[in-house]
Amino acid sequence: MPAEQTAVAVQADRDYILQTYVKPEFVIERGEGVYLYDTEGRRYLDFVSGIAVNALGYGDPEVTRAIAEQAAKLIHVSNLYHTAPAGELARLLVESSPAFDRVFFGNSGAEVIEGAIKFARRYARDRFGEGKTTIVAFDGSFHGRTMGAVAITAREKYREPFMPVMPGVRFATYNDPASLAAAMGDDVCAVVIEPVQGEGGLRVATEAFLRAARELCDRYGALLVLDEIQCGMGRTGTLWAHEPSGVRPDILTVAKPLAGGLPIGAVLMSQAVADTIHVGDHGTTFGGNPLATAVGTVVFRRISDPAFLAHVRQVSSYLDESLQDLAADLPGTVLELRGRGLMRGLRIAGSAGAVREALQRQGLLVATAGEDVLRLLPPLTIQAAHVDESLAALRQVLR
Ligand SMILES: *Cc1c(COP(=O)(O)O)cnc(C)c1O
C-alpha cells in the first residue's frame, strides 16, 4: 500500500473513530504465523496477540477453513433455534473439568462477566432469599467496561467518571486470605478472582489464596467465580489457569482466545448454579452463533490437546529462563518478573509506554499493564527462536 494510503487510514481513525485508544503511526495489514505486517511492509514479532486472543497466531489453516466453511453454511439464526456447533463447543467445555455442567455463550469478556454476576445473584436469591447480593473483588482486578464489570474492577479511573456503577461491591486485598475473610459476610453472593491478573499487573494468585477463597465461599454460601478470560485456555501451560491449585470454581468465565479472534465469551457453571436459572432469565442475540462456536470448537480441540499444552509449558520455561537471565543482567532496569506461562510481566524502572514504543521500532510488539509493567502475551504457537528474537529486542532497548 502506498504511503499516502497509510496516512489516509491513520487520519480516518483520528477523524471518525471515538478516540478511546492511543495507537501508533503504522497500519497493520496482515498477519502470518506469529508475525504482523504493516502497510509499508515492515514486520513485527507479535507478543500481544490481540490481547491474548490470537492464541494460534495468524492465518492458521484450520481456523481459516472453519470460518469459510461455516460462513458458507450458516452464520447466525439466534438462540430461538438449535444449531449444532454451539452444543458441540458446550460439550467440549463441560467435559474439560468436573466443575462444569452447563455453558452460557456470550460475545465478549464483559458480557460474560455480567452474566456471571447475574447468575450469582439469581442463585443467592433462589437459595437464601433477598439481601445476599454483595460481590467481593480485589485490588488490581480488571473485569471489563460495562456497568457491572467496571463496578468490580479496581482502578478508580475506570469507575469514577461513570458513577453510580452497580452497587454492592467490596474490595479485598489480592493474595491475602485474612483480608478476604474480613470482607466476607452473609450478604456476599460471590467472590470474583482472576487466577492471573491481566491488566492489573500480571500478579499470580497463590494456591493457598485460591484454597482459602474456596473455603470462605463454602462457609458463607457464596459462589467462587474465576475470571479466566485472559489467563484461561492454555495460556499458563494448563488448560485452565486455576488447575494446579485443585480448587473447583462454581463459575468460570472464558472469552479472549476461544474463537480464534472472532468475538465470543462463555460462562461455565456447576449444575447447582444452572438449577436456579430458568427460561427467560437471561439472553443474548448473537451469543453462541454457529460461526463463532464452530471456530471455537476447532480452537478448543487444538489447545486442549495434551501435546499442545506440553509445547506451551516447554516454550514457557525457555521464556522464563531467558527473562531470568535478562533480569540478572539488568538488575537496575528489570525490577521484577511476574506472571506465568506465556502471560508474563516485567516491572521496569521507568515508563513501560516509552519502552513499548522503542520495542515497536525494533519490530517487537508488547503490551503494558499499568505505568511500569511490560506485558508479554505471545501466540501460544511461538517457538524458542521467537523467544530469542524477542529477548534480543528487549536487551537492545532496556540496556
Ligand atoms: C479483557 C478482559 C475482560 C473483558 O473482556 P472484553 O472482551 O474486553 O469485554 C474481563 N476480564 C479479564 C480478566 C480480561 O482480561
Side-chain angles (χ1 to χ4, degrees), residues 21 51-53 107-113 141-146 149 153 193-199 227-231 253 255-256 264-265 343 375:
Y21 286 90
I51 318 183
V53 168
N107 303 281
S108 68
E111 188 188 348
V112 294
I113 286 291
S141 63
F142 180 89
H143 299 290
R145 306 292 200 141
T146 50
T153 289
I193 303 176
E194 291 161 88
V196 181
Q197 290 187 332
E199 326 286 313
D227 180 351
E228 296 213 7
I229 287 168
Q230 187 162 159
C231 64
T253 54
K256 286 184 163 91
I264 195 170
M343 184 174 181
R375 183 165 36 144

Side-chain angles (χ1 to χ4, degrees), residues 23 87 106 122 125 201 206 247 271-272 283 332 335 348 351 355 378 380:
K23 298 170 192 170
R122 185 78 183 79
R125 177 187 274 254
T206 63
V247 162
Q271 190 60 43
L335 306 179
I348 57 168
S351 153
V355 170
L380 305 184

Side-chain angles (χ1 to χ4, degrees), residues 36-117:
L36 286 169
Y37 296 83
D38 71 14
T39 49
E40 312 285 301
R42 279 181 301 243
R43 186 176 91 154
Y44 304 88
L45 177 60
D46 180 19
F47 270 40
V48 180
S49 305
I51 318 183
V53 168
N54 305 312
L56 300 178
Y58 300 95
D60 181 88
E62 243 193 307
V63 169
T64 354
R65 196 179 326 118
I67 293 172
E69 284 176 4
Q70 186 58 48
K73 263 194 271 182
L74 184 69
I75 294 173
H76 173 87
V77 284
S78 87
N79 285 303
L80 301 177
Y81 305 99
H82 285 297
T83 58
E88 176 63 0
L89 179 56
R91 184 180 67 77
L92 293 174
L93 289 167
V94 163
E95 288 176 355
S96 74
S97 158
F100 314 129
D101 298 296
R102 296 274 164 183
V103 179
F104 178 87
F105 286 115
N107 303 281
S108 68
E111 188 188 348
V112 294
I113 286 291
E114 297 293 329
I117 293 170

Side-chain angles (χ1 to χ4, degrees), residues 144-169:
R145 306 292 200 141
T146 50
M147 283 302 198
V150 94
I152 58 171
T153 289
R155 237 166 131 190
E156 294 270 326
K157 196 180 100 172
Y158 294 155
R159 231 172 338 116
E160 274 302 314
F162 309 104
M163 294 294 266
V165 296
M166 179 189 76
V169 179

